[in-house]
Amino acid sequence: MKVKRLTLFLTMLCTFLLASLFLAGCGKSEPDKSKSAAKNDKVKITKTIRIGYQKNGPLFILKSLGTLEKRLAKKGYQVEWNEFQAGPALMEALNAGSIDIGRTGDSPPIFAQAAGIPFVYIAAGKPKFYGSGILVHDNSSIKSIKDLKGKTIGFAKGSSSHYLLVKALEKAGLKYSDITPAFLQPGDGRIAFEQKKIDAWVVWDPFSAAAETGANAKMLTNGEGLTTDRDFFLANEEFAKKHKDIINEMIDEIKASSEWANSHHAELIKMLAPLLKIDEPSLKIAVERREYGVDELTPQLIKEQQQIADTFYDLKIIPKKIIVKDLMNH
Amino acid sequence: MKTFIKEAVKSIIPWILPFLLLLVWQILSFDGIISSRILPSPLAVLKAFLTLSMTGELFDHVSISLERALTGFLIGGSIGFLLGLFNGVFKWLELFTDTSIQMLRNIPHLALIPLVILWFGIGETSKIFLVALGVLFPVYINTYHGIRSVDKRLIEMGKAYGLKGVSLFLAVIFPGALSSILVGVRFSLGVMWLTLIVAETISAHSGIGYMAMNAREFLQMDIIVLSILLYALLGKLSDVIARFFERKWLKWNT
């Protein structure tokens, strides 16, 4: 009897392990490989470029348009797209060499540089400070940034919002210690804001647009004059050294897809709404106050990014001072 | 004297494997076989430990987490114990509640965060709630199981001696179930620390769960590994504490 039981147990255990193995295999993100363009072309597809993207970014638009695949197929490349929920995870993938190129907001590269991850900046996105800002409740007694003194403010630690808030307080003559920070990721922040557990919430689009349309929020101030809140396009150091041409072609395509996005708002909203699971009115606000595009890494832009890095160092978010220029001499 | 040496050797043996791993790890990172980007060397982790201890940051993290963990443990453990107790004793109650409890058991804490913020806000209550919830189930299941599996012959014997009701429970059933209850306690002492990883993402400013998640966000590998080691040690410590009580309370059983 005992032996029988043991066998039964072992069989069950094995089945379970096999099942979990199988499930783990399925759960792994299946990268979309696009080879369609290869047919009409004589160049043989031999190499793969691996791109990391986030759902609400310019690379996502590029992916949806499918133009990059066609262009790179001529060079013998196929494109593999990998989706990431957040910037830090994308940087981890760059670190491990699982992706060649990726896009994040302005703060993940700073942490990555402080952590010694081998990557370089290849280009920047256009400023998008209209969509990022400090939100308060419609009927809030907070009328100006000065009123934030002594209030609880929610934001994600070490995000572009963190920087925006520090700059806003600075401009209003307040100190960071004058407020009570509540570190919350955007999703959690929304709930805390709606429940009035926090007095103000610093966040970016499309979260801010969604809160403005759906959670009685109004923007106390946006990021204008405080931050530029850019996207950054990053590449693995090795890859950037060896494949400058590919990177340039990719930047061209990002530019082209951004132009499309700027001139086709209606189509863009239709395309993004179901994927981001955000209602169209909110998305309309977000899309209309944002300009897609690519900026060169000018000295002015390097200075902006250096200021963010210095601020994070002062806030003890990064353990050492970094020189962002070192990774920008592409 | 001989038994003394034997005891000493016995207490060293369990630590040989972790120590060897540590040694190999250090040698490999020293040789550059393991890149410091992939895994920081033990010395780098030790350095992170020392800097964090010097600034008092580590002590803050551990003490605040300990406070959250123990409060949650006391609340969740008591509820789990009482539920297990009553369900073990009263069959109709078990029929009524056990299915619900088993369903609640498998809800991942991460999925609960939005609800927890809605119900308990972003302060300490929400963190303690999550710990209590995590701790409740292992205690419940093991208490229930312990009480159900007390040797029927012992109960018969107790009854033969004229014990019934509360006195039967205190003299026979509870001591009989104690070893199983302590297994639950031991398990939940481990779970209690794990829950903090999730709980301390809710607007926390310190705590070891916060430290680990924060390090992940900011790609600080040395602190990530340090948190992992801390978790391992706290797990062992919980085990030692539980064993201590086992030895103390289960003398009759050995």
Side-chain angles (χ1 to χ4, degrees):
Chain A
M1 187 59 199
K2 227 177 182 176
V3 178
K4 231 181 181 176
R5 251 205 204 157
L6 189 69
T7 344
L8 183 70
F9 173 72
L10 283 176
T11 328
M12 273 167 69
L13 189 73
C14 289
T15 324
F16 176 73
L17 284 177
L18 273 173
S20 42
L21 240 148
F22 176 71
L23 283 175
C26 288
K28 237 173 120 185
S29 68
E30 279 293 325
D32 312 336
K33 290 188 183 169
S34 323
K35 295 175 196 164
S36 53
K39 280 177 198 159
N40 348 334
D41 232 292
K42 283 182 184 113
V43 184
K44 238 185 155 183
I45 303 284
T46 50
K47 289 165 280 187
T48 305
I49 175 169
R50 298 160 304 166
I51 299 176
Y53 69 98
Q54 286 168 273
K55 256 190 184 163
N56 183 39
L59 287 184
F60 183 67
I61 298 171
L62 180 61
K63 173 179 185 278
S64 310
L65 291 179
T67 49
L68 184 69
E69 284 84 346
K70 282 187 198 126
R71 174 116 178 218
L72 289 185
K74 290 179 196 147
K75 293 253 167 189
Y77 275 89
Q78 61 170 333
V79 182
E80 181 186 306
W81 295 95
N82 297 285
E83 186 178 318
F84 290 88
Q85 295 287 338
L90 193 148
M91 297 309 304
E92 276 165 15
L94 262 181
N95 183 25
S98 319
I99 57 171
D100 305 311
I101 290 181
R103 178 228 73 113
T104 71
D106 51 11
S107 61
I110 289 173
F111 308 134
Q113 187 176 359
I117 287 175
F119 78 98
V120 291
Y121 291 83
I122 53 177
K126 294 253 181 237
K128 51 180 170 68
F129 47 74
Y130 291 118
S132 310
I134 304 175
L135 297 174
V136 292
H137 301 101
D138 255 345
N139 52 0
S140 169
S141 61
I142 302 169
K143 302 284 180 227
S144 73
I145 300 173
K146 274 207 161 63
D147 298 336
L148 289 175
K149 191 167 183 169
K151 298 283 195 261
T152 304
I153 305 177
F155 55 90
K157 188 179 179 186
S159 65
S160 51
S161 299
H162 196 159
Y163 180 72
L164 191 155
L165 177 66
V166 170
K167 285 288 145 187
L169 294 173
E170 207 172 78
K171 202 173 163 190
L174 292 179
K175 288 197 297 286
Y176 183 61
S177 54
D178 287 335
I179 57 130
T180 310
F183 300 142
L184 293 162
Q185 291 300 320
D188 301 340
R190 166 77 183 253
I191 297 166
F193 181 77
E194 281 188 45
Q195 291 294 305
K196 308 211 168 160
K197 306 282 183 199
I198 51 179
D199 304 307
W201 181 32
V202 196
V203 77
W204 55 87
D205 263 339
F207 298 106
S208 36
E212 281 172 281
T213 53
N216 299 322
K218 63 173 182 198
M219 225 181 243
L220 185 65
T221 175
N222 62 28
E224 194 174 5
L226 302 170
T227 177
T228 46
D229 198 3
R230 292 172 189 274
D231 286 324
F232 280 100
F233 300 98
L234 315 163
N236 182 284
E237 196 179 11
E238 281 268 314
F239 183 86
K241 248 186 239 161
K242 286 186 193 149
H243 303 283
K244 254 189 177 142
D245 52 329
I246 297 296
I247 287 176
N248 286 333
E249 301 221 11
M250 181 166 167
I251 291 172
D252 273 355
E253 282 306 322
I254 298 172
K255 278 183 187 156
S257 67
S258 300
E259 268 158 33
W260 178 88
N262 289 331
S263 55
H264 294 75
H265 281 173
E267 286 96 326
L268 183 65
I269 294 164
K270 279 260 161 353
M271 183 177 97
L272 291 177
L275 293 157
L276 296 173
K277 310 230 167 21
I278 286 176
D279 58 298
E280 290 189 16
S282 308
L283 211 53
K284 192 167 184 302
I285 297 178
V287 164
E288 281 177 357
R289 63 187 174 195
R290 172 170 185 174
E291 186 192 356
Y292 291 94
V294 179
D295 276 342
E296 301 289 317
L297 301 169
T298 59
Q300 172 57 31
L301 192 147
I302 295 171
K303 213 174 109 196
E304 281 167 26
Q305 184 71 348
Q306 184 63 46
Q307 273 173 2
I308 301 178
D310 292 344
T311 304
F312 283 160
Y313 175 73
D314 293 338
L315 290 168
K316 292 192 175 143
I317 294 176
I318 52 172
K320 60 179 182 196
K321 266 198 176 301
I322 55 163
I323 310 288
V324 297
K325 197 170 180 234
D326 293 348
L327 302 184
M328 287 195 174
N329 39 19
H330 171 65
Chain B
M1 194 61 200
K2 236 183 186 166
T3 49
F4 173 74
I5 293 171
K6 221 174 169 183
E7 282 303 307
V9 169
K10 244 185 175 174
S11 63
I12 288 171
I13 289 177
W15 294 100
I16 292 179
L17 187 62
F19 183 75
L20 273 179
L21 279 175
L22 213 62
L23 200 70
V24 171
W25 172 17
Q26 177 63 48
I27 292 170
L28 285 181
S29 21
F30 201 69
D31 277 359
I33 296 172
I34 303 180
S35 154
S36 62
R37 287 192 292 113
I38 311 280
L39 188 67
S41 73
L43 283 177
V45 176
L46 187 70
K47 219 175 107 195
F49 171 73
L50 289 176
T51 20
L52 283 181
S53 320
M54 270 349 178
T55 56
E57 222 175 301
L58 193 66
F59 180 75
D60 284 349
H61 287 316
V62 174
S63 59
I64 197 136
S65 281
L66 191 68
E67 197 183 312
R68 284 172 188 150
L70 285 182
T71 321
F73 176 75
L74 285 178
I75 297 171
S78 321
I79 298 174
F81 175 70
L82 288 176
L83 275 176
L85 193 71
F86 285 112
N87 281 359
V89 175
F90 305 111
K91 196 123 199 200
W92 53 268
L93 192 66
E94 186 234 323
L95 209 61
F96 183 61
T97 59
D98 189 63
T99 307
S100 313
I101 295 174
Q102 297 301 337
M103 283 195 280
L104 287 176
R105 185 164 71 96
N106 270 338
I107 300 174
H109 289 165
L110 212 52
L112 274 176
I113 283 196
L115 286 176
V116 171
I117 295 178
L118 276 176
W119 297 338
F120 301 104
I122 53 174
E124 288 301 298
T125 328
S126 54
K127 297 169 189 93
I128 291 168
F129 171 80
L130 280 173
V131 176
L133 193 70
V135 161
L136 193 153
F137 300 111
V139 175
Y140 164 75
I141 289 172
N142 286 292
T143 306
Y144 168 75
H145 177 256
I147 286 178
R148 270 299 153 89
S149 54
V150 173
D151 198 334
K152 293 281 176 302
R153 286 166 301 178
L154 283 176
I155 299 178
E156 282 299 312
M157 195 167 77
K159 279 183 182 158
Y161 277 98
L163 292 171
K164 57 185 170 192
V166 179
S167 53
L168 178 72
F169 176 78
L170 286 179
V172 181
I173 299 178
F174 183 69
L178 197 56
S179 77
S180 176
I181 294 173
L182 283 172
V183 169
V185 168
R186 191 199 288 192
F187 194 71
S188 62
L189 281 173
V191 170
M192 152 184 116
W193 292 108
L194 291 181
T195 320
L196 282 175
I197 278 265
V198 174
E200 287 177 349
T201 56
I202 308 173
S203 181
H205 296 269
S206 50
I208 57 170
Y210 165 81
M211 182 173 96
M213 291 307 284
N214 199 49
R216 200 218 150 188
E217 194 91 341
F218 303 130
L219 305 152
Q220 296 160 339
M221 280 308 284
D222 48 350
I223 299 182
I224 293 175
V225 177
L226 176 65
S227 325
I228 293 171
L229 291 180
L230 263 178
Y231 266 97
L233 285 176
L234 286 171
K236 177 68 193 164
L237 185 70
S238 310
D239 195 54
V240 169
I241 294 171
R243 266 173 204 250
F244 169 78
F245 285 114
E246 262 175 38
R247 263 204 301 272
K248 203 166 159 181
W249 291 339
L250 295 178
K251 265 194 192 133
W252 58 273
N253 207 5
T254 43

